[in-house]
Amino acid sequence: MSATGESAVWPVRTARLEVRQGTEADLETIWQWRRLPEVSTWLSSAPSTFEEFRDRYADPERLATTLIIELPPERPGEPARPIGDIMLKREDAWAQAEIADAARGVEAELGWTLDPAYAGRGYATEAVRAVIDVCFGTLGLRRVHAGCFADNEPSWRLMERLGMRREEFSRKTALHRSGEWLDGMNYGILAEEWPPGS
């Protein structure tokens, strides 16, 4: 099983989008929006060249956690248009040692970027909602969580639109590459809190 779950899960279609497993061939396109200052300022890693980016993200383990958000072709024969990416990293929950096996692979961490040219249209919300549906449906996970800098308002607003609960607001706990200590926010939601087909 990959970090994102069984590969047969993808692609998933929404009303306007498709979310599919990322491939090495997607990296050059992803780089086009991830290199933009308004995107890279919030990312945990911001390589300065495509070569550095490719070296990091072409790693099979990292690539296995990468999903692509696409707009379907406008006309037959045209290619789909990638507009964003989602990290879906399946992970273990904390457990006491005697029952640790029961906590393996039951949670997921999410992260996302969207090409700013497509911001403000609800695409990120639609795509992340579809991924959470898969997490709590097909993958049978119990909890999903995500975090961001508190100054990244579009990100935490998206989490709140999806019904995720703010679980932590931490003061100056994250050292930004600017050299400034920034506040952080973490959100989560449980399977039993997620409305089916939301």
Side-chain angles (χ1 to χ4, degrees), residues 20 26-27 36-37 40 54 61-64 72 76 94-95 99 101 108 131 136 140 147 150 156 162 169 185 194:
R20 64 168 174 83
D26 295 310
L27 295 180
L36 299 173
S40 66
R54 185 185 56 223
E61 284 187 29
R62 180 62 180 90
L63 200 54
W94 185 89
I99 54 170
D101 287 346
V131 171
F136 292 146
W156 62 259
L162 291 171
F169 186 102
M185 299 169 80
W194 185 250

Side-chain angles (χ1 to χ4, degrees), residues 151-167:
D151 288 346
N152 186 357
E153 186 173 341
S155 192
W156 62 259
R157 291 257 185 226
L158 185 156
M159 292 184 250
E160 291 185 356
R161 275 195 303 279
L162 291 171
M164 296 178 79
R165 176 184 49 262
R166 186 183 299 175
E167 297 179 332

Side-chain angles (χ1 to χ4, degrees), residues 34-49:
R34 280 183 164 252
R35 68 185 173 88
L36 299 173
E38 62 266 42
V39 176
S40 66
T41 192
W42 305 119
L43 302 179
S44 58
S45 173
S48 57
T49 67

Side-chain angles (χ1 to χ4, degrees), residues 48-135:
S48 57
T49 67
F50 172 65
E51 290 71 26
E52 290 174 31
F53 175 79
R54 185 185 56 223
D55 289 347
R56 179 179 179 87
Y57 284 83
D59 174 74
E61 284 187 29
R62 180 62 180 90
L63 200 54
T65 68
T66 302
L67 301 169
I68 303 298
I69 306 167
E70 285 186 329
L71 285 170
E74 292 181 8
R75 290 180 272 290
E78 290 184 350
R81 185 178 319 139
I83 63 168
D85 62 278
I86 298 175
M87 177 196 73
L88 169 56
K89 189 187 303 182
R90 198 164 180 171
E91 48 190 28
D92 301 341
W94 185 89
Q96 292 176 312
E98 297 82 2
I99 54 170
D101 287 346
R104 297 200 196 290
V106 297
E107 298 187 352
E109 178 186 4
L110 299 182
W112 48 83
T113 64
L114 188 74
D115 183 336
Y118 297 92
R121 303 183 208 179
Y123 290 138
T125 303
E126 186 173 328
V128 175
R129 178 178 284 118
V131 171
I132 296 175
D133 277 340
V134 169
C135 287

